[in-house]
Amino acid sequence: MNRLGAVPLALLWALPLLLSLALLVPTALDGAAWALALAHPQLWPALALSLATGGLSTLIALAISLLLLGGLPRSRVWHRLQGVAAAGLAIPHLAFAIGFAFLIMPSGLIARLLIGGDAPPQWVSVQDPWGVALTLALALKEVPFLLTAGFAVLSRGDAAVRIKAEAQAAASLGHAPGSAFLRIVLPPLLRELRWPLVIVFVYGATVVDMALVLGPTQPPTLAVVIWHALNNAEAGVNAMGLAMTLLLTAALALILAGVALILRLGRQAMHRLLTAGPSPLQTPRLLAALAGLVTVLTVSFALFILVLLSLAPRWPYPALLPPAVDLSAWASVPPATLWLSLLLSLAAAAVAVASAVLWFETHGARHDRWAIALALAALALPQLASAGGQYKLLLPLGLTGTLFGLFLAHLTPVAAYVLIVLAGPYRAFDRRYVAAARALAASKLSAWRRVKLPLLKAPLLTATAIGFAVSIAQFVPAQLIAAGRFSTLPMEAVTLASGGNRPLTAAFALALAVPPLLAFLAAALLGRPRWR
Amino acid sequence: MPLRLTRRGFASLLATTPFLAPARAEESWAEIEARAKGQTVYFNAWAGSPQVNAYIAWAADEVNTRHGITLEHVKLTDTAEAVRRVRDEVKAGGEGSADLIWINGQNFHVMKEEQLLFGPFTEELPNFALVDIDGKPTTIVDFAEGTEGLESPWGIAQLTFFADGAKLDTPPMSMMELLDLARDEPGRITYPAPPDFHGTTFVKQALAETIEDRAMLPLSIDKAAFTEAAKPLFEFLDQLHPYLWREGKQFPQSQAQVTQMLADSELLVGLTFNPNEPANLVASSTLPATTIAWQNRGGTIGNTHFVAIPINAKSKAAAEVVANFLLSPEAQARKADLKIWGDPTVLDMGKLTPAQRGLFSRAREPGSVKEPARTIPEPHGSWVPLIEAAWLERYGA
Amino acid sequence: MALRLETVSVNLEGHPLIAPFSLAVAPGEIVTLMGASGSGKSTLLSFIAGDLESPFTAAGNVRLDGVTLDGLPPEKRRIGRLFQDDLLFPHLTVAENLLFGMPRGPRRERLAKAEAALAEAELSGFGERPPNTLSGGQRARVALMRALVAEPHAMLLDEPFNKLDAALRQTMRSFVFEHIAARRIPCLMVTHDQGDVPASGRLLLLKDAMVTDA
């Protein structure tokens, strides 16, 4: 009975995923592919760029997020920030990249404001060879994700009370708020943020769409090299791309293992710092406010610019506003496509959360490592590769071009994200609350429904919203599996983006941003604790 | 990259693939049309341009009312997607999901080489007789590879440059003049990095203008010979690059990005493979009305794009009917209309009736090419991977 | 060391919870404030400790060693607290919990102090254990030692024995009172349990918002 709880997750997600990955093995053992990959002149510099942009953007995003979580008082600001973070989370990466690029590029808004003149300055502000623009954009875009994950931990009913009491205890022992945050709140918080951080790192090191807009070009990041190779019509070049994919994945795994090792070795030193005694370290409120302001302003400006871009067929330098606006780009968003995307994503998110909860409820935390390892594998492999395996699996089953196949394609990454996001809060739940409810003569189901569910309301809703947002942005697997029989929003958006029509791309990017935005706002509103 | 493009005789292809035997060779066009009725054609076509998408939507309406065919546009980011899908589906057996593919160049070579295409079928299309094979030889030779009836011509492409005439009064009409312009306006010229299609074409154009013996281009070449032949090309690029955008150390990713940077005034010169794209962009007010377009006076790299039918297509008859419709004077004229798409026709005006000729508008639009240059056919396919590899090695990292 | 409250009052949205009263707690003295649940006792302690939160407000002056604490953040007040829960930090070992609040200094000395405190609590050798492996009584003793090694100048006890079982409660009371008295720390305890009141200590009653001597 207990074991059956794993069935939905296994059947709909794990099994297809494992089989898909297995189907990639023959290509991975292809010697010719590896020879081509290793002879590629851009391989090593591109790999270094990928790892550097992914790693640095993760560290910057973490620093900003912690600054905001620790530096701002747990006040109204803090709670308002939750809504802003949800909004930032909803903006698709590509959309943010386009808006951000138009902010900083030589003919962008900042140059128009500061420089003007006939011709734009020759700034090296986007597509710089060092990947600075890409790193910054990635960092800013990931802050909302880390913040949301952090809020989910800190504002969870049982944890919030405990953290508050512990902070009081720390203060009574002579620790200023900054010191209390670093020594009491941060260690458990980081523990629960480790998987979101891994996701952010892996995402940053493998992202393609943002790198195409903002990243360096000669060499580009390895993900871009792979993307071109996998897009090639030649089977041999595709195989080279797969070999590079495996290399990138191995490099990421190696780095993560290295970080884990350093953290383990550094444990002693870390605990010495934790217990060095009371410290007058204040929370850097000014810096936090500044970081918050910069993040919020950049993200909202990027969004605002995107709205303008979607309305402006032409916006020549150095005009501060487009000379003319029209709605033609918006008129081309087809309603049928919108509905299909909404329903598919809602279904994928709901099924993913339900299967994950069923898994958590029927299996102990020690089994999580396998589920999470699989989820990370699903997210760490560039989608062109993993989706290729999935396609090879579904093709002989006759599931390509079917709605169910399309649903499975959406579920794969959604379930992975949901598992990772939910594992922390779900496993950290204080089981005594359920025990207390059972002691009050509640049945197992009733205790879950009346005590655990309300207390885990916020993380569950957030996970659903994240799942929804991930699903609605799915392009590669959907494109492969749909076989042209169905059309979703990102399929329309990405194909139009390939033509470089900026108003249309902006309009579709915004159309992609709105549904998840509503989902996150709904999650934030419904997930609010009854009182603070 | 191991791109081996041998010129395999069509007879041997027929012999090895029973599929290709024209079993229904005697079937009349009327019978094909009758069979096509009620079928659905999944047309796999790059969908990055709203103009192209709108045109295909129009064609879908037309073939529905005229022939009772449902035409679904499968929107692609990259035609290679369709190639891979057909390859996988053929391997898996059964009927495929694609009925018609918009294709040319490397994608066609791969599909032909791997015997993934249905045909020959073009001779069966009544409208194929109207194609200007003599005036536009690229309608039956795709990147130096004979089409052998496996793809039906659809439109013409020629490398064309464009700029804002208000900022550039005398356009550079050769690679050498472009180098002079780059020296005068450092940082304002660039081209997309190969293997982007347009980037490779730019390099091919430079190759054609610098190579000592242009007659080598249609022939197969090996690495040693290429290294020798391409020496002047790379000498030229070495000279040009320091004056390019970002001193030739970084390059844009795509033609679309170059166009956008031109529209944003970051660059002086844009490039396209559709001679009428600049005029079309003026019509859709992406570019200003002062836009000018030109082709290099010594000739410009050109080719044709086609539609082909995969060997495992479900609705082959309907796909043929659609291919034939796309060749009709009415469809070709609408396609050539700058306000619609602006893709030049493959038809021979001399073979059309005066009424059919009248469909093609001759109005000069702002942004159209003033003096069309003659077409330099694409070099043989064996040049492409060598160009791309050598470029990547020299400038890629 | 002495703790003085001068005309201190506590209000909830304009309604008085505790009418103005004054109180002096001498070094080593343990004053107990008894009142019903919800009468505002714990809120008074929050005010003294400096972390009163809205909707509560308070007025009056708190002096420790003759210095007013007005406006000082909690961590600068040198006021130790024991809560109803032990609130041992779960990610730190028992010894690390002790080191947490101990004033900075040479590591060796601090470790020795922690070891001595553990010995005093009859918990020698428990230093490396995670808190969740300790019994309730052991945890309560660690919590007290943690507060004491931080060298507070006053202690506030908020129903600290409430969650202990009856047998443990008695031993814990004497353990706490002895250590606080031995260190000559002024201490204010709030409780609703008559049994918590130390034999020799002063007792105040909070009823109908009035603080009176028993």
Side-chain angles (χ1 to χ4, degrees), chain A residues 140-188:
Chain A
L140 288 173
K141 179 66 189 81
E142 298 303 354
V143 167
F145 177 66
L146 290 181
L147 269 186
T148 306
F151 284 137
V153 175
L154 295 182
S155 58
R156 196 174 57 225
D158 57 324
V161 173
R162 185 172 183 98
I163 289 171
K164 196 170 152 186
E166 286 181 351
Q168 278 182 358
S172 79
L173 294 169
H175 285 264
S179 172
F181 179 81
L182 275 184
R183 295 186 160 86
I184 297 304
V185 182
L186 193 56

Side-chain angles (χ1 to χ4, degrees), chain A residues 395 485, chain B residues 89-90 92-98 312-316:
Chain A
L395 183 62
R485 300 298 186 263
Chain B
E89 286 172 351
V90 166
E95 280 170 340
S97 63
N312 62 347
K314 195 176 172 189
S315 312
K316 292 189 181 93

Side-chain angles (χ1 to χ4, degrees), chain C residues 3-209:
Chain C
L3 177 69
R4 300 180 71 89
L5 309 185
E6 296 166 351
T7 54
V8 166
S9 63
V10 178
N11 296 292
L12 174 61
E13 287 166 342
H15 302 286
L17 274 183
I18 302 177
F21 77 104
S22 298
L23 170 69
V25 187
E29 185 187 18
I30 295 170
V31 175
T32 308
L33 176 63
M34 270 192 62
S37 298
S39 57
K41 312 182 297 281
S42 298
T43 314
L44 175 67
L45 294 195
S46 283
F47 172 63
I48 299 169
D51 56 19
L52 191 69
E53 286 192 346
S54 63
F56 296 101
T57 52
N61 201 3
V62 180
R63 284 175 184 277
L64 186 57
D65 306 336
V67 181
T68 178
L69 296 181
D70 196 24
L72 273 187
E75 70 273 10
K76 295 225 174 104
R77 296 192 170 201
R78 309 217 64 167
I79 294 180
R81 287 170 89 178
L82 282 189
F83 304 85
Q84 295 189 26
D85 292 293
D86 53 68
L87 290 177
L88 296 184
F89 303 125
H91 62 295
L92 302 178
T93 63
V94 168
E96 285 173 343
N97 261 286
L98 292 177
L99 291 172
F100 185 86
M102 196 186 290
R104 292 183 174 236
R107 186 166 171 79
R108 189 183 305 237
E109 281 176 28
R110 299 178 76 235
L111 286 174
K113 262 191 220 169
E115 197 42 57
L118 282 175
E120 224 177 311
E122 290 162 24
L123 285 169
S124 291
F126 279 67
E128 293 310 308
R129 298 261 293 260
N132 61 5
T133 61
L134 268 57
S135 72
Q138 290 169 329
R139 292 169 63 102
R141 298 209 296 275
V142 175
L144 175 70
M145 295 321 292
R146 181 176 75 173
L148 292 179
V149 295
E151 298 171 12
H153 290 198
M155 281 291 291
L156 303 176
L157 311 185
D158 189 354
E159 309 202 19
F161 315 117
N162 207 14
K163 295 198 170 165
L164 302 175
D165 62 61
L168 202 54
R169 203 175 291 171
Q170 203 47 55
T171 43
M172 199 55 206
R173 279 174 188 144
S174 43
F175 179 77
V176 170
F177 297 152
E178 273 167 27
H179 279 89
I180 288 175
R183 283 175 169 75
R184 304 213 31 88
I185 300 172
C187 174
L188 177 60
M189 169 166 73
V190 301
T191 180
H192 62 265
D193 184 350
Q194 183 80 50
D196 283 348
V197 185
S200 57
R202 191 147 50 112
L203 177 64
L204 302 176
L205 293 178
L206 173 58
K207 202 179 175 198
D208 302 329

